[in-house]
Amino acid sequence: MIESNKVKKILYGGDYNPEQWPEEIWEEDMRLMKLAHIDVVTLNVFSWAALQPSEDTYCFEKLDKIMETVTRNGMKICLATSTGAHPAWMARKYPDILRTDFSGRKHKFGSRHNSCPNSPTYRKYAKRLAEKLAERYRSYDNIVAWHISNEYGGECYCENCERAFRLWLKNKYQTIDAVNEAWDTAFWGHTFYDFEDIVLPNILSEHFAPERTTFQGISLDYRRFNSESILDCFRLEYDTIHAITPEIPITTNLMGTYDALDYQMWAKYMDFISWDNYPAYNAAPEDTALRHDLMRSLKQGKPFALMEQTPSVTNWHPYNALKRPGVMRLWSYQAVAHGADTVMFFQIRRSIGACEKYHGAVIDHAGHENTRVFREVAALGEELDRIGDLTLGSRMKSKAAIVFDWDNWWATSYSAGPSVNLHYCDEIMNYYKAFCDLNIPVDLISVEDDLTGYSFVAAPLLYMVKPGHDEKIRRFVQEGGRFLTTFFSGYVDEHDLVTVGGYPGRLRDILGIWVEEEDALPEEAGNRFTYQGTAYPATLICDLLHTESARSLASYEQDFYAGMPALTRNAFGKGFAYYVATRSDSNFYRTFIGEICAEAGIFPLLDTPDCIEAAERINANGSFLFLLNHDAQTHEITLNRTGRDILTGTEYKEGDTLRLAGRDVAIIQTV
Ligand code: GLA
Ligand code: ZN
């Protein structure tokens, strides 16, 4: 789909469900789509029931017609496999396909994303359907991508999953003694004598709430197992399709910061990343930017597909406020600015029944083109046609990175203590926002990613240090890199077992400190530190630490630990390691991150008013500086480069003032 020679522009379109409509409407859809400059449709997302009405019957005639219709009309196709919801007959005949939830309740037929990932029935028939689709449509040269299933997710606690979990554990640990050791089962007399003793960790066993468990080890392994079980389903379809159409790239639509699936592991098995972006009406621009950057970084910066967004409203947020005029365009370009090479919607035509009938669509219930939403969609389509292939394949060049790790996310959310207000993504966001505020490009990398090319790596809440990660960081700093971490870091190994000898465990020599205690502050409490003459708040956690080789940069001002360091810097090899022992506010993060970046030779793309986001992508056509005005008012920016706005054709010289209207976008190309 992206990076394919069939594609010469930013693909524009989205989920199209003609099977929900009489055929007379299809031709009208084609007219309207052309009017909107739409050139790609995602087909067949939820059609399993129609494609396989009974165990031995498959029925592709309607899909054939749909494929022919869109092809005749010049559309590219992103072809889905329909395995995101199983048919009713299958649930009745093979109940093993139904999921069991966290409370141990076996589900009945209903909803979607409802199949047990370890169900032999699901796997058998999902693979068969994928195979039949690939065989049948392999000769269509306008298929630009396969879209397997839809928004994989959830979890299952059925007996099949329990058996599969035991096998997974056997494979991982070999012996039951190794399991006992990894989970520290000597605690509360939990020793397992046999793999058969092990049951899934849910409300009937180790949990007393979804995120509250008495044994972190088993719960963490269940998370990994569940993510891999669902990934196995994806891979099964992937391998089947890839063998038949090796030249067509394969994806599945991800969901940004979705906790149940370790997308970094998933990405290894996907040809390209695609994801669905549904910010709430009041989402901060950096919330969305973080998700785009995370999705882009899953494949080391390779462009991704924006697979879904709403043109106007969703139906499932608490308040489904309209995207104000200009916001759909602004958020589309925000995706492109962060690495998207497609702009796609859910959905082309608004359905008339069930829970998504009030979800926004390109074609509204009014059924014609005379709507605000349609006009905005068409205008953007026309603009994307004009941009053509100019920006395609361009990359962002980040010299800074933030470590994002699903195991750390899971482990910190399962941790009993230190504070209920400690949330992995919040801490990541505190640091990410600082880079955003400064207009400094940043990648969100995994613990496995190579650090070459980065000058500064921040790893907030690096609670779990996996084997080899400390050594990678150690070498990075020794060779001149700058590294930052925070409170509640370096505590445990990959099994969530504490590294004894003083926190931050394996990171201790790099940071040149040791942490003796941590004080979890209730919401009404707070401490303070002064850094370079400015007082900043210290909240959430205050580590009580001792410097070894590090130097204290600021210390607490209150309570019995007043005078102890809140901020340290350690010279280590040719580089430096920073430790932030508490949570502070955005002013602090912006200042501190800005300083470290400057020391590391990393500078803002340019200075802008706070509401103007700047991002840059680079390819053989030059560099493209995206300026996105997230405010409704006009703002001015002084440019620090010479170039041409590819949207308006206006030429600018370095030092010129660019006036950007409310919610408007400029893309300055410098060759
Ligand atoms: C998800 C799904 C779509 C649709 C939209 C609605 O992204 O993939 O099928 O339900 O949400 O926002
Ligand atoms: Zn199951």
Side-chain angles (χ1 to χ4, degrees):
M1 179 158 206
I2 49 180
E3 290 187 348
S4 138
N5 55 9
K6 296 175 195 167
V7 175
K8 303 272 186 278
K9 66 176 282 290
I10 295 173
L11 284 181
Y12 192 52
D15 278 33
Y16 177 47
N17 302 306
E19 65 280 356
Q20 297 174 9
W21 296 89
E23 284 180 37
E24 306 82 79
I25 287 213
W26 300 0
E27 289 305 323
E28 175 64 355
D29 289 339
M30 296 303 123
R31 181 186 76 82
L32 290 167
M33 280 195 249
K34 284 182 214 166
L35 209 55
H37 302 260
I38 280 173
D39 44 41
V40 66
V41 283
T42 302
L43 297 177
N44 201 43
V45 183
F46 290 107
S47 302
W48 199 347
L51 298 175
Q52 192 185 2
S54 74
E55 183 147 21
D56 305 311
T57 335
Y58 284 86
C59 180
F60 291 102
E61 286 66 29
K62 192 165 206 172
L63 183 56
D64 289 350
K65 274 195 197 162
I66 294 169
M67 294 285 289
E68 281 158 24
T69 306
V70 302
T71 302
R72 185 165 19 89
N73 284 278
M75 304 281 166
K76 308 239 181 288
I77 298 169
C78 171
L79 190 54
T81 62
S82 270
T83 53
H86 52 241
W89 67 261
M90 204 179 281
R92 180 155 51 94
K93 189 157 181 192
Y94 298 106
D96 72 279
I97 202 169
L98 297 165
R99 285 187 182 180
T100 296
D101 67 19
F102 178 76
S103 304
R105 297 176 305 186
K106 175 90 180 163
H107 281 214
K108 298 191 175 187
F109 177 73
S111 197
R112 63 174 177 175
H113 306 141
N114 47 4
S115 312
C116 163
N118 287 297
S119 150
T121 307
Y122 178 70
R123 291 193 177 193
K124 173 175 158 193
Y125 286 114
K127 177 182 159 68
R128 188 175 290 175
L129 182 58
E131 185 170 28
K132 285 188 185 288
L133 288 164
E135 287 290 358
R136 191 166 188 101
Y137 300 112
R138 63 191 299 170
S139 60
Y140 274 82
D141 68 1
N142 54 334
I143 300 181
V144 286
W146 285 102
H147 173 305
I148 294 183
S149 191
N150 187 70
E151 292 192 338
Y152 277 108
E155 54 197 19
C156 183
Y157 297 88
C158 76
E159 284 172 10
N160 274 324
C161 286
E162 198 155 77
R163 274 192 292 275
F165 185 48
R166 292 181 190 132
L167 284 176
W168 185 89
L169 292 169
K170 223 176 254 177
N171 193 33
K172 176 170 176 173
Y173 293 103
Q174 313 290 323
T175 67
I176 196 69
D177 289 346
V179 175
N180 282 317
E181 202 178 309
W183 296 347
D184 198 24
T185 55
F187 178 77
W188 283 2
H190 258 53
T191 307
F192 295 107
Y193 306 98
D194 192 293
F195 281 93
E196 294 301 308
D197 294 334
I198 297 171
V199 297
L200 293 173
N202 65 5
I203 200 78
L204 304 177
S205 53
E206 303 295 0
H207 280 254
F208 49 103
E211 289 199 343
R212 295 270 157 246
T213 173
T214 49
F215 272 81
Q216 279 72 21
I218 187 171
S219 299
L220 199 55
D221 270 337
Y222 173 74
R223 280 264 148 265
R224 293 165 172 153
F225 158 77
N226 182 63
S227 174
E228 285 178 38
S229 295
I230 301 178
L231 174 58
D232 285 344
C233 296
F234 170 81
R235 291 180 62 190
L236 190 66
E237 289 192 48
Y238 180 103
D239 291 345
T240 307
I241 294 170
H242 184 73
I244 301 167
T245 59
E247 69 297 341
I248 303 177
I250 304 174
T251 194
T252 182
N253 47 345
L254 307 182
M255 294 180 279
T257 44
Y258 177 65
D259 71 335
L261 303 181
D262 176 353
Y263 284 156
Q264 286 160 339
M265 183 187 282
W266 277 65
K268 294 178 189 165
Y269 302 98
M270 297 168 65
D271 291 331
F272 67 95
I273 298 300
S274 65
W275 88 282
D276 302 344
N277 179 35
Y278 291 100
Y281 73 98
N282 56 354
E286 62 270 15
D287 277 351
T288 307
L290 180 146
R291 290 175 174 88
H292 287 312
D293 282 348
L294 178 64
M295 295 294 98
R296 183 192 68 253
S297 303
L298 291 177
K299 276 217 171 284
Q300 292 74 42
K302 185 171 160 178
F304 59 87
L306 175 64
M307 187 62 87
E308 293 180 26
Q309 64 170 344
T310 179
S312 53
V313 281
T314 55
N315 62 297
W316 49 268
H317 279 297
Y319 305 100
N320 296 292
L322 294 174
K323 283 185 179 172
R324 275 32 208 169
V327 170
M328 182 279 290
R329 173 175 178 266
L330 174 69
W331 290 2
S332 299
Y333 281 121
Q334 187 187 26
V336 176
H338 286 270
D341 269 1
T342 74
V343 172
M344 294 165 70
F345 300 106
F346 179 88
Q347 51 195 330
I348 301 293
R349 187 183 272 277
R350 206 172 216 188
S351 57
I352 58 164
C355 65
E356 289 181 343
K357 59 180 170 298
Y358 304 125
H359 192 290
V362 174
I363 307 168
D364 213 326
H365 286 152
H368 53 65
E369 64 268 44
N370 302 313
T371 64
R372 172 186 75 95
V373 171
F374 190 93
R375 281 191 293 274
E376 287 192 34
V377 169
L380 178 59
E382 189 272 329
E383 210 167 55
L384 295 178
D385 274 352
R386 271 193 286 124
I387 294 176
D389 66 356
L390 262 189
T391 60
L392 283 193
S394 56
R395 301 283 186 122
M396 294 182 88
K397 295 255 153 60
S398 314
K399 288 171 75 188
I402 294 176
V403 176
F404 189 101
D405 178 52
W406 262 263
D407 279 298
N408 264 289
W409 187 358
W410 295 332
T412 49
S413 45
Y414 281 148
S415 176
S419 167
V420 290
N421 288 341
L422 182 77
H423 300 296
Y424 185 68
C425 290
D426 289 355
E427 296 315 310
I428 297 285
M429 178 51 91
N430 284 336
Y431 287 85
Y432 178 82
K433 184 176 176 345
F435 287 98
C436 267
D437 289 348
L438 291 158
N439 293 327
I440 291 179
V442 63
D443 293 339
L444 284 145
I445 61 171
S446 82
V447 304
E448 289 178 14
D449 280 322
D450 187 6
L451 303 183
T452 322
Y454 295 115
S455 311
F456 177 22
V457 173
L461 229 56
L462 190 63
Y463 167 69
M464 173 184 289
V465 179
K466 296 193 221 173
H469 195 214
D470 55 317
E471 192 42 36
K472 184 186 280 191
I473 296 166
R474 193 170 286 111
R475 241 179 301 122
F476 171 73
V477 182
Q478 269 162 348
E479 288 165 12
R482 279 171 170 77
F483 173 72
L484 175 150
T485 190
T486 67
F487 57 88
F488 213 42
S489 291
Y491 276 54
V492 299
D493 67 6
E494 72 277 22
H495 303 302
D496 200 51
L497 294 176
V498 168
T499 306
V500 292
Y503 320 125
R506 294 182 188 157
L507 305 175
R508 192 172 154 183
D509 60 315
I510 307 170
L511 292 153
I513 58 163
W514 78 275
V515 177
E516 186 178 337
E517 292 183 274
E518 88 241 324
D519 193 17
L521 303 184
E523 269 163 36
E524 65 279 10
N527 207 313
R528 226 177 42 179
F529 62 91
T530 300
Y531 177 63
Q532 294 181 345
T534 307
Y536 295 105
T539 60
L540 189 72
I541 305 283
C542 292
D543 276 347
L544 279 56
L545 70 86
H546 306 277
T547 53
E548 294 177 315
S549 51
R551 197 160 62 76
S552 172
L553 301 178
S555 32
Y556 298 114
E557 292 174 1
Q558 289 161 359
D559 220 322
F560 74 96
Y561 44 89
M564 288 185 89
L567 206 59
T568 66
R569 178 186 202 250
N570 191 38
F572 188 77
K574 294 189 201 139
F576 295 91
Y578 303 82
Y579 190 78
V580 185
T582 183
R583 182 200 275 173
S584 195
D585 65 7
S586 58
N587 289 332
F588 168 73
Y589 293 120
R590 187 180 180 143
T591 304
F592 197 54
I593 294 295
E595 275 179 21
I596 301 174
C597 282
E599 277 178 26
I602 307 172
F603 299 99
L605 291 170
L606 83 169
D607 287 334
T608 58
D610 279 352
C611 56
I612 308 278
E613 183 182 354
E616 187 185 37
R617 290 181 66 175
I618 299 168
N619 66 12
N621 298 323
S623 82
F624 298 89
L625 175 69
F626 289 75
L627 297 169
L628 306 148
N629 185 355
H630 290 284
D631 191 29
Q633 307 305 318
T634 301
H635 290 275
E636 293 187 346
I637 305 142
T638 308
L639 290 174
N640 59 357
R641 60 178 75 192
T642 295
R644 177 179 152 274
D645 184 349
I646 64 172
L647 300 176
T648 59
T650 313
E651 305 273 353
Y652 292 96
K653 287 194 303 299
E654 190 179 338
D656 281 357
T657 299
L658 185 152
R659 279 174 63 79
L660 200 55
R663 296 187 176 121
D664 202 0
V665 178
I667 308 174
I668 311 297
Q669 179 185 15
T670 303
V671 289

